[in-house]
Amino acid sequence: MTIRNQAAIVGIGRTEFSKNSGRSTLRMALETILDALDDAGLRPSDVDGVVKMSANRDIDEVELARALGLQNLRFFAEVPYGGGSGCGTVGVAASAVATEMAEVVVTFRSLNERSERRFGESSVGGGVGGWNAYYAPHGLVTPAQWMAIFGRRYLHEFDHDTDAFGMVTVLARKHAATNPHAMMYQRPITIEDHRKAEWIAEPLRLLDCCLDTDGACAAIVTSAARAKTCKSTPAYVTAATQGTGSRPEVMTAWQRDSIAHLEETDSAARELYRIAGMNPEDIDVLLVYDHFTPMVLMTIESYGFAARGQAPSRYREGYFELDGRVPLNPHGGHLGEGYIHGFNHIHEAVSQLRGNAANQVAGSPKTALVSSAGGVPTSSLILSLEAR
Amino acid sequence: MSDEPAPRPFPQRDRDTTPFWEAQDKHELRFQRCTGCGSVRYRVTPLCPNCHSFDHEWIASSGRGHVYSYTVVRRQTHPAFPVPYTVALAEMEEGPRVAAQVRGHDGGEIALGAPVHVEWEDHPKQSLPVFVLD
Ligand SMILES: [Zn+2]
């Protein structure tokens, strides 16, 4: 038995995406969970499992269970590594329902990243343990700074200038401009805007970094059999995987032969396509975690949508436009819609398969590939309309 | 309030890493070398990933390497680190890639591959290497 098409996402929910939600992460999680259950035609009492990202340690499983009035949670698990873990929560939920350890599993991400703690701000000194003991004392204290080290090598090894990064944001903002849910709705930018944007950590500018967002998204996972009884159109989990690659580190896997590609993501891609029995040609819409623009280019290459170093050429060809060969982040992603740590990408994938996304791509997509963050231990999904 | 920068974050030592950080306080950059198979490893870890021997010795780096990548930090995110400052990832002669600030760098372009050597800065809780462009 493999995980292929054993489970499905049957419900999705989301809050508004804003600079200040005005409410707790717990409350937003509960709102989106109720919406997602309603979307599926399920009740809170149906829930018997929760899988969350370790980044949501602020929300205890038992607080969810208490608020939802659950009689029992029989499956709960946490997936580590920040933005790398979003698809992993759905994968773990799918494995739980496939093995009958749970039947209806809640996955979610809820954060007040803009109004409360911001990832781009590091906490004031003191002792730093673990991997970051080798970096924070030298002033490498934020994700943008760590990712800049990878990004510089990408530009160097493939002889690109920073317009290669700028094209990523220009397309994201183009898509967000026509998505009313997006923080950057009706606010497209040009490559000139990117060239003029302030530096954060060279070679990354402000416009290479994801938005800071308050908001939440949830997805309900159940078995393929039960999915058929839900009121929504199921998005089958055709493949799910995680990946570390060799010599992994949290955000500083810099001891590898090359850091101009993402070994975690390369490994996840191989495994994902193997499980699905698919190739890149079988993918109709692509959702790539876009915390920082260089990682988008490298992730595109890992999943086989461009040869190494060639993702910028694909951008120039229009390959990722809404009417291109494989539309990329039609919602605008973290650079344009909002930063819900990859969960808004899962929401968008399901919406595209259902045919009711804000920027619905042409040709009724039947498969969506969703990748969680690059440059960290990662995870990914292929979701399909048909369980073949 | 004083104009002194806030204290730097400092490495929290543990039973595996203490020899590494203690050596830095004596201005020595060192790496673990497996006494089973001879491979050098970094960052510190108790087991040789190549031959799975726990036995190792500490070797002193020559302190020479070349710039593998770097970033010039322009947006301040931590009170201990006024901008701009430059952090390089240098590949040392022994193989490991080590991150440290580039002393006196004004933000101009650095050619990847440029040779550097290690000098030392003493901070209240931990001495740390810095790179100097040769
Ligand atoms: Zn060995």
Side-chain angles (χ1 to χ4, degrees):
Chain A
M1 183 183 95
T2 75
I3 198 67
R4 180 165 59 195
N5 297 330
Q6 304 268 350
I9 296 176
V10 291
I12 51 175
R14 63 180 175 178
T15 63
E16 79 290 355
F17 302 155
S18 74
K19 292 181 176 179
N20 188 351
S21 68
R23 56 210 196 277
S24 71
T25 53
L26 174 61
R27 178 176 169 136
M28 288 195 294
L30 290 164
E31 290 174 10
T32 58
I33 290 165
L34 290 177
D35 285 349
L37 287 167
D38 187 56
D39 179 45
L42 294 166
R43 293 185 306 276
S45 57
D46 293 314
V47 174
D48 59 359
V50 174
V51 184
K52 78 176 192 202
M53 298 165 68
S54 64
N56 252 140
R57 291 237 169 96
D58 53 322
I59 298 179
D60 261 322
E61 289 79 354
V62 291
E63 290 302 317
L64 291 177
R66 195 167 72 90
L68 291 168
L70 305 185
Q71 293 308 300
N72 185 40
L73 269 182
R74 62 184 174 122
F75 186 88
F76 34 95
E78 187 179 279
V79 183
Y81 300 120
S85 67
C87 291
T89 64
V90 173
V92 171
S95 61
V97 301
T99 53
E100 299 183 10
M101 294 182 76
E103 191 169 355
V104 174
V105 182
V106 165
T107 65
F108 68 95
R109 180 72 173 110
S110 180
L111 70 177
N112 282 326
E113 157 70 9
R114 172 73 195 205
S115 64
E116 294 180 352
R117 182 179 169 271
R118 299 171 75 168
F119 290 128
E121 294 171 355
S122 51
S123 52
V124 178
V128 179
W131 62 279
N132 206 5
Y134 298 78
Y135 304 111
H138 298 281
L140 287 179
V141 289
T142 67
Q145 295 158 6
W146 298 314
M147 295 300 122
I149 296 288
F150 292 94
R152 169 93 54 194
R153 284 304 299 188
Y154 185 86
L155 297 181
H156 173 76
E157 292 189 21
F158 302 116
D159 199 25
H160 293 300
D161 61 29
T162 55
D163 281 0
F165 300 162
M167 289 189 292
V168 175
T169 310
V170 169
L171 183 65
R173 293 287 291 269
K174 181 180 175 181
H175 290 169
T178 54
N179 170 10
H181 206 80
M183 294 179 82
M184 294 299 173
Y185 179 49
Q186 296 178 334
R187 292 178 62 188
I189 62 160
T190 65
I191 195 75
E192 235 358 90
D193 294 325
H194 178 268
R195 288 177 188 147
K196 286 186 292 203
E198 63 167 303
W199 291 112
I200 298 296
E202 294 179 22
L204 299 185
R205 297 179 170 90
L206 181 62
L207 287 175
D208 292 307
C209 306
C210 58
L211 307 170
D212 285 324
T213 307
D214 284 12
C217 290
I220 309 298
V221 177
T222 192
S223 66
R226 181 138 181 196
K228 293 184 174 66
T229 71
C230 290
K231 78 175 188 198
S232 58
T233 303
Y236 291 96
V237 179
T238 296
T241 192
Q242 296 174 281
T244 64
S246 71
R247 288 174 283 180
E249 301 203 17
V250 177
M251 298 190 85
T252 53
W254 295 335
Q255 307 297 326
R256 295 168 174 162
D257 295 341
S258 168
I259 64 168
H261 64 99
L262 303 171
E263 199 182 315
E264 299 86 348
T265 311
D266 294 346
S267 305
R270 277 193 299 276
E271 184 65 4
L272 194 73
Y273 289 130
R274 184 191 69 75
I275 294 167
M278 289 181 177
N279 293 307
E281 298 74 53
D282 299 312
I283 303 303
D284 296 333
V285 59
L286 179 59
L287 285 306
V288 169
Y289 193 102
D290 46 344
H291 46 343
F292 299 101
T293 53
M295 312 331 265
V296 177
L297 299 173
M298 292 188 235
T299 300
I300 286 167
E301 294 165 14
S302 289
Y303 283 99
F305 296 98
R308 253 180 219 170
Q310 297 306 305
S313 313
R314 292 294 207 204
Y315 270 89
R316 282 191 203 93
E317 291 164 18
Y319 200 83
F320 304 120
E321 303 273 340
L322 292 180
D323 60 355
R325 158 53 198 103
V326 58
L328 171 71
N329 292 356
H331 57 328
H334 294 144
L335 296 163
E337 190 190 50
Y339 180 65
I340 314 296
H341 236 171
F343 250 83
N344 49 324
H345 294 51
I346 295 170
H347 189 286
E348 174 70 7
V350 174
S351 300
Q352 288 287 344
L353 294 176
R354 291 180 180 182
N356 61 7
N359 293 321
Q360 184 61 42
V361 307
S364 307
K366 292 184 173 53
T367 56
L369 191 156
V370 192
S371 175
S372 290
V376 297
T378 193
S379 58
S380 55
L381 297 168
I382 292 174
L383 302 176
S384 304
L385 262 190
E386 293 158 10
R388 284 175 293 168
Chain B
M1 298 296 286
S2 79
D3 292 333
E4 290 283 297
R8 281 193 183 210
F10 61 90
Q12 239 161 16
R13 302 174 183 192
D14 62 31
R15 290 181 180 191
D16 295 323
T17 62
T18 293
F20 177 81
W21 298 118
E22 278 183 351
Q24 295 214 344
D25 275 341
K26 295 171 189 155
H27 297 186
E28 179 186 299
L29 175 63
R30 48 160 56 177
F31 303 120
Q32 290 166 295
R33 182 166 66 196
C34 175
T35 47
C37 71
S39 57
V40 174
R41 61 183 188 261
Y42 181 77
R43 298 178 288 107
V44 176
T45 186
L47 184 65
C48 173
N50 185 44
C51 77
H52 300 142
S53 169
F54 286 101
D55 298 329
H56 64 271
E57 59 190 349
W58 292 94
I59 59 163
S61 169
S62 69
R64 288 188 297 272
H66 66 267
V67 175
Y68 186 74
S69 188
Y70 71 98
T71 181
V72 181
V73 179
R74 300 258 179 211
R75 161 81 66 97
Q76 186 160 352
T77 58
H78 191 292
F81 299 108
V83 290
Y85 62 95
T86 301
V87 185
L89 181 69
E91 189 166 290
M92 307 308 293
E93 285 183 336
E94 297 77 19
R97 296 188 191 130
V98 174
Q101 290 196 6
V102 180
R103 176 179 281 163
H105 183 245
D106 65 1
E109 195 93 353
I110 300 174
L112 300 193
V116 290
H117 69 272
V118 163
E119 294 186 6
W120 293 89
E121 280 184 359
D122 296 326
H123 298 282
K125 300 270 196 170
Q126 175 70 58
S127 296
L128 294 168
V130 293
F131 294 127
V132 177
L133 289 160
D134 290 333

